[in-house]
Amino acid sequence: MTKVREFKEKERYTMNLLVKNVTKGVTQKGAPYLNLVLQDNTGTIDGKLWDASEADMAAAKPGHVEKLAFEVLNYNNNLQLRVNRIADLDQDLIDLSEYVMSAPVEIGELKARISGYMDSITDPTLKALVKGMDAFVGKKFYDYPAASSIHHSYLGGLAEHTLGMADLAEAIAGQYPVLNRDLLIAGVLVHDLGKTAELGGLVSNEYTLEGKLIGHISIGHGWLMETARELGLEEKQETLLLRHMILSHHGRMEFGSPVLPAIPEAEVLSFIDNIDAKMNTLKTALSTMKPGQWTQRMFSMDNRQFYKADLD
Amino acid sequence: MTKVREFKEKERYTMNLLVKNVTKGVTQKGAPYLNLVLQDNTGTIDGKLWDASEADMAAAKPGHVEKLAFEVLNYNNNLQLRVNRIADLDQDLIDLSEYVMSAPVEIGELKARISGYMDSITDPTLKALVKGMDAFVGKKFYDYPAASSIHHSYLGGLAEHTLGMADLAEAIAGQYPVLNRDLLIAGVLVHDLGKTAELGGLVSNEYTLEGKLIGHISIGHGWLMETARELGLEEKQETLLLRHMILSHHGRMEFGSPVLPAIPEAEVLSFIDNIDAKMNTLKTALSTMKPGQWTQRMFSMDNRQFYKADLD
Amino acid sequence: MTKVREFKEKERYTMNLLVKNVTKGVTQKGAPYLNLVLQDNTGTIDGKLWDASEADMAAAKPGHVEKLAFEVLNYNNNLQLRVNRIADLDQDLIDLSEYVMSAPVEIGELKARISGYMDSITDPTLKALVKGMDAFVGKKFYDYPAASSIHHSYLGGLAEHTLGMADLAEAIAGQYPVLNRDLLIAGVLVHDLGKTAELGGLVSNEYTLEGKLIGHISIGHGWLMETARELGLEEKQETLLLRHMILSHHGRMEFGSPVLPAIPEAEVLSFIDNIDAKMNTLKTALSTMKPGQWTQRMFSMDNRQFYKADLD
Amino acid sequence: MTKVREFKEKERYTMNLLVKNVTKGVTQKGAPYLNLVLQDNTGTIDGKLWDASEADMAAAKPGHVEKLAFEVLNYNNNLQLRVNRIADLDQDLIDLSEYVMSAPVEIGELKARISGYMDSITDPTLKALVKGMDAFVGKKFYDYPAASSIHHSYLGGLAEHTLGMADLAEAIAGQYPVLNRDLLIAGVLVHDLGKTAELGGLVSNEYTLEGKLIGHISIGHGWLMETARELGLEEKQETLLLRHMILSHHGRMEFGSPVLPAIPEAEVLSFIDNIDAKMNTLKTALSTMKPGQWTQRMFSMDNRQFYKADLD
Amino acid sequence: MTKVREFKEKERYTMNLLVKNVTKGVTQKGAPYLNLVLQDNTGTIDGKLWDASEADMAAAKPGHVEKLAFEVLNYNNNLQLRVNRIADLDQDLIDLSEYVMSAPVEIGELKARISGYMDSITDPTLKALVKGMDAFVGKKFYDYPAASSIHHSYLGGLAEHTLGMADLAEAIAGQYPVLNRDLLIAGVLVHDLGKTAELGGLVSNEYTLEGKLIGHISIGHGWLMETARELGLEEKQETLLLRHMILSHHGRMEFGSPVLPAIPEAEVLSFIDNIDAKMNTLKTALSTMKPGQWTQRMFSMDNRQFYKADLD
Amino acid sequence: MTKVREFKEKERYTMNLLVKNVTKGVTQKGAPYLNLVLQDNTGTIDGKLWDASEADMAAAKPGHVEKLAFEVLNYNNNLQLRVNRIADLDQDLIDLSEYVMSAPVEIGELKARISGYMDSITDPTLKALVKGMDAFVGKKFYDYPAASSIHHSYLGGLAEHTLGMADLAEAIAGQYPVLNRDLLIAGVLVHDLGKTAELGGLVSNEYTLEGKLIGHISIGHGWLMETARELGLEEKQETLLLRHMILSHHGRMEFGSPVLPAIPEAEVLSFIDNIDAKMNTLKTALSTMKPGQWTQRMFSMDNRQFYKADLD
């Protein structure tokens, strides 16, 4: 079946797509219409359904995979769908992996490599805390994106981001003896686990109420306090240092860290979080551009534009 | 016995004082000396012990009440002690209340009034959470200062600050129906409890390691998560809102709140925390000045100077 | 007669409304149309008049109550009017109170309670200054909104805001003896009087030229200097302190205060101005929402979103 | 008589100097001493009077010219006086111009040139306002410094600063027709008149209470409102524009302007105020240095260091 | 021929205009259209070409002068063109000066006056550097705008801006002896030459790749290093000072100056750059407005609005 | 011979040390003395020479190795020297490597490894530019510190910092295919070469005049422009990208970069510059502390304190 990434201007298709978002509008002439965001596992595209009937409006359900008939138009140099019909489907028969994007690395491999990092920690307190947190979060660790839209926003994104950081951490810890390798790796493995309560998951792609009122940093820190108490490790220095790493990993108070890094490992953690997120963001932004072009201003890159050079 | 507040220039005394702080120095001529900060329950004063012997240096122990012989000098319009002898005492025989300042309200009354506010909460979830946190912290709530030096830095200061805020909260909640009174009072009662782990207590007057690496906001928030789970209230909306109030009560990210107030009660909590702290700071600063004078620049008042007017 | 707040989707009405604002547009096909903001004393609503004739354009006069025929549409989940006809009316026959919103407290009561606060000042200098300023401003005090759009933007809003602050001031002055109650109340009563020259009043709802070039803080301060000179009070300390309170009441230079609060009463004045404005803003924003919803980002609340919780 | 600028290391003198400032200290050995700031019309120098007697302390009066005996020492490459004796004098016999620095331009010439600028204004409203303000302030205009320490801090400094700005204004107005020359000149002539109430004058060299609580911008603006009302010009557009220029002349809210420049003349006024102040500051700082040297960090130059180049 | 500035609502014209910019769109009904920015030497105007054919889309070439048939409409109080036909022309036959705006001063006069300033420099090193830079840049100096859109954005704008600054520099250097006149004039003459590589020139009106990746400050500084080395002047103090003036002329690091002004001439250079740019910006903005009106918020004036007063 | 790091309290030594810095003072009693900063290749220590004679003052020459007799004192928990005699030496007989600190890696090895990175670049333009810059700077690359005091401030520090960054670059480029490895390595090798003109070298340890007026970023960028022109590579895209990397490597305008990173390699360069500098700073700060201690506030670490944990 044709995929979103392969859509061509002026072609017509009838096919299933995930309805990511629906808003209603009314034209200047008073006719109702629907703004749709549609998606499969290769990309996302905007659509309009003009002269929407009551039936259309009832059928268009955010989070559902639905059957649509549409034509592909070019609007300001972007493709857009003009949808003619929409019908809901029996969601139980859907294979969701066709409709949400996945990490480029296979989930099984992500799990194996992250487990390898957990096992490689030799400090018993840190290993127990990391494994306790992993058990607490469970499968969600591999189902979640790392952010709702900015970077690694796909199935397995949180795990892929964690693994990318662990690889960076291993290389940097090997280069600077002032760093305790076990503490840095443990910090990487737990720093973002609170995101599994902050975000609603891939399909809804929204912040939860807990996410907006509390935030993943404080959620994850609270879980680590609970985990440590259950394991009888709440008085250990390693526990205090690992809690500090979760709290300080955004590196600046205005980015939501209530304390700033005060140990070398926390300082490095905030750097590698930043590097891995930005490399993923730039990869995504530049991958669909031609050499010699500039990106739009990118909010998550301090509102800068980036240039795609013409090197081999 | 003469109190610190009553010391007079050029007088000599031999008496017991709490040694708050000791640092060693050496004069230009190579002679060792001690800088001392000394205290009783009426105030604090600097002292110097010149030509310090090994015995002097061994005797001067921070946190101990000791026997000192000294003369009172005027140095740049401030009184200062020139200490001639210092001797340690049996600390078990000391009545500490003679040497640390106390809240102007008697502790028993603070307890009674704060208990009254706890009992006045009608929402069962909020009442259970507040009482659970109170049980967790216990007696420390009434022994602790509200800050190491800025405001309410005396025995019972944390409780006095909490009570002052509760009185403000009651008045404001009565004026604006958009506020839920129970939630606001509950927020007042728990917002600063983490300070009992952040600060080392009145005598040492220092931040703990947990205080510096974690901070009272995240400590208190973690305790509330643990308390809620023990009480089986972790899924309640009230729990989420109360957690949010602890996290947001500094009102600005650069002051260490990882999230900003997002409900009216949290907004008001950050205001009344600020008002009560600043009124206490100004009371202390202005109480010893004459009308027509200006204070020094005050760090905790955004580095401003304040004027003491001549009104009745 | 049906009120704006009661309008229903797809209904048609012919009725009188205040034309708050008119801008002209032209459609992609070259046809002229009018964007209208329409209002009665229950609310404000946008409207479009398509294919506007010269007569339509002449009839639509901002600040006039006019007769309109229209249909109510749903546009992006907001109601909007599709206006078919518009005709001007004899403005002398209009009862404006039907078309502008009023403070929830009746004007007579506002006057009585504010007069009560004026009379309660015992310091003769402060009382004379406050009464002098009141006489200078006169009736406008009770006709004006407190802001053009952000908070208390309705008939009597300025007086209601002043009264709300006076109630807060009375409660806070009673709790902190470091505050001079008369000075604080006097500051509340005069702090915003300059707004009667800064704003054009409720119907026009715009800043005046003096408002934009000078601002209500400097206007009010100048009036107080003139008032004091007329009363022979220009050398009094109380005059200086009250002038300082007007100038510093925005609390931060970047908010337009040329000096920062330097007496406790000025510090509290800036706090209670903030609290009363924000409580009014939140009341308005949350009153039309359902529990569980979030507001839009609110410019006057530091661009934050607020959550309407589901508490009783 | 030898002047301060001519003092030489290791010389001894007995002579009269203005006592600018006195603070008391006590040495490590308990002996009282005085820190003095002493001055004549060529400069300022620090002094110490060790082992100060009660008589010394009584004699040293800030603001008085006194007779001193002292030796000149080199302390960290700065000259400093070691004062041995100090005696008060009959202040009525003193010619103050020997002890305070004056503008390099003679006062009579300053007056003549500033009067010339006043007379050159052709707009009758602006001319009346400027002359009314000049009459209000009177002789102080020519006695005052332009700042307590930063720039033009000498007798006639305020007038010299005003004149320097008027010369700049004339040149710039001639170059850009978008500027109204009369309005710009009028703005220059009145913008800083409030400083005659903000500062205590040359000898005391301190901010007044009105200066600290109100500031020269709001003082001058209030005077202009009073002047305009007396002249019956309060409704004139020129009055509003001139008030705006006083208020906005610091160019940034964080520098104390409650409104920002909103007409071209106000924009230029803030630039030329800045240029004239900075040129005077740099002239003073560089005049005593050798080519190839750097200044200290200069607070009033955004904390920068400046380099004195070796050009002819 | 009618000029853009003279267009009247509802008139129809067929005439040649420069196509400054083209973007494609598609209407809600799926029909393609073109957004055009069109220009002659009196102004710029937006246009729409509805139902664009393939031929229309091929004909509309940015940077070309083309023949258009259109009607003038009023859209939100701005004039806009509804284009019916568009046809490309032989660009070799076009006199570009009809289609791009020019400095109000004639180019020949700009050249003569700038040459006069170059010849007036008496310091041989500075004169050689300025003439070397001038030879390097050549004719572009007089063809370029001073900015892509903000100020002096017309043929000869860079030279006119430079000359305006030189006139200011001459006046200010004459007033303050602390300034070296030759160094200041030399700084004015070379400070913006890098713009001839930063901008693509008047017709394209875009930043070059070098402009975006390097910026005119660093381009010009590099050219001066190369020029100095060719002339054997790289070790001269004057060279170092002139390099410093190029680098520091934006006056603040956040505006792209890698160092801040550290000599008086550099400080003044940044002021007069600012003054001349802002006077030109305000002249342009106010010239088409009526007295009593306010401008839009102006990005290059710190987002302020300006008022056009009614003075003669 | 005893080294600075081995000095013990109350011991007396006569030995040679490098005089890093000399300032003169005068005691309260009028006696001249010298403040000295003394150094060997293990560390730096302060000293005082009381009652300094003319001969002492003449002998103490900054930058010279001299013979000193002194006693070691404890002053506020820091060791300090009380110098009794000082005599200059024949500087030609001195082996400077005994008196300045060196990088922990041997210079020969630094050279070999950096040459290896140069040879590993396969892009011919980038390789030619890097080798051209290396030839231009020559031996200084291996003699210079990377900063005057903050990080890598020892013989070979610049080369060690460059090598540390190259190792990081190699690891990160291997992990993220969006990065061009050759460009990143080339950027690392040239980014700080301007420091060899910005700093005066290890013994003087001061910024040069060119360093203060121009800065190493603009110096290095200018050299690269000159190098590219000599090699005929000034029009190559690689040259432009490498110039951009030098200019943007501080990552923020307020840190002196005139442009912000706009290609992925420039973004990473600013990160790894930061990481290597901070790891070196922390290593130095923590190496002399005991576990459980906090550092002072560190200016180059955003004024934070760091904690030395007790992990193995």
Side-chain angles (χ1 to χ4, degrees), chain F residues 124-144:
Chain F
T125 303
L126 292 171
K127 181 182 270 185
L129 291 171
V130 169
K131 294 217 163 185
M133 287 288 276
D134 184 61
F136 184 92
V137 170
K139 179 173 166 304
K140 279 185 167 182
F141 190 7
Y142 300 96
D143 278 358
Y144 261 65

Side-chain angles (χ1 to χ4, degrees), chain D residues 76-150:
Chain D
N76 279 343
N77 288 324
N78 288 308
L79 295 184
Q80 195 182 77
L81 307 189
R82 188 167 169 197
V83 179
N84 298 310
R85 274 174 304 113
I86 186 165
D88 201 6
L89 298 171
D90 180 345
Q91 300 299 306
D92 294 343
L93 306 180
I94 301 296
D95 172 8
L96 202 58
S97 75
E98 288 291 312
Y99 301 100
V100 295
M101 284 167 282
S102 298
V105 188
E106 201 245 330
I107 299 285
E109 187 188 332
L110 289 175
K111 276 190 194 175
R113 296 205 50 217
I114 286 175
S115 289
Y117 274 115
M118 288 182 192
D119 292 334
S120 77
I121 298 173
T122 58
D123 180 287
T125 303
L126 292 171
K127 181 182 270 186
L129 291 171
V130 169
K131 294 217 163 184
M133 287 288 277
D134 184 61
F136 183 92
V137 169
K139 179 173 167 303
K140 279 186 167 182
F141 190 8
Y142 300 96
D143 278 357
Y144 262 65
S148 75
S149 64
I150 297 170

Side-chain angles (χ1 to χ4, degrees), chain B residues 50 74-76 82 305, chain D residues 24-26 28-29 209 212:
Chain B
W50 300 108
N74 179 322
Y75 182 73
N76 278 345
R82 188 167 169 198
Q305 294 183 286
Chain D
K24 294 176 191 177
V26 62
Q28 294 175 344
K29 298 298 178 183
L209 182 59
K212 291 183 84 164

Side-chain angles (χ1 to χ4, degrees), chain B residues 147-159:
Chain B
S148 77
S149 64
I150 298 170
H151 69 97
H152 298 89
S153 54
Y154 40 68
L155 198 74
L158 177 58

Side-chain angles (χ1 to χ4, degrees), chain C residues 144-198:
Chain C
Y144 261 66
S148 76
S149 65
I150 297 171
H151 69 97
H152 298 90
S153 53
Y154 40 67
L155 199 74
L158 178 57
E160 190 202 7
H161 175 48
T162 301
L163 182 59
M165 287 173 62
D167 289 344
L168 282 175
E170 192 78 281
I172 294 174
Q175 190 168 334
Y176 300 101
V178 75
L179 297 169
N180 181 292
R181 182 262 181 202
D182 274 5
L183 180 57
L184 182 58
I185 292 288
V188 166
L189 293 173
V190 301
H191 81 290
D192 259 356
L193 291 179
K195 284 192 171 167
T196 58
E198 182 186 57

Side-chain angles (χ1 to χ4, degrees), chain D residues 206-263:
Chain D
E206 299 262 314
Y207 281 79
T208 62
L209 182 59
E210 189 176 9
K212 291 183 84 164
L213 290 178
I214 310 296
H216 72 274
I217 283 183
S218 298
I219 294 168
H221 174 253
W223 288 350
L224 182 55
M225 284 180 74
E226 295 183 299
T227 299
R229 195 174 298 268
E230 275 167 33
L231 297 170
L233 299 171
E234 72 270 31
E235 296 297 333
K236 288 288 209 177
Q237 185 195 203
E238 285 85 349
T239 304
L240 202 52
L241 298 174
L242 195 59
R243 288 168 60 196
H244 173 73
M245 291 183 77
I246 291 180
L247 290 177
S248 65
H249 83 265
H250 279 192
R252 291 169 65 170
M253 284 184 161
E254 59 269 43
F255 296 165
S257 270
V259 289
L260 298 181
I263 52 175

Side-chain angles (χ1 to χ4, degrees), chain E residues 203-222:
Chain E
V203 175
S204 87
N205 210 21
E206 299 263 313
Y207 281 78
T208 62
L209 183 60
E210 188 176 8
K212 291 183 85 166
L213 290 178
I214 310 295
H216 72 274
I217 283 184
S218 298
I219 295 169
H221 173 254

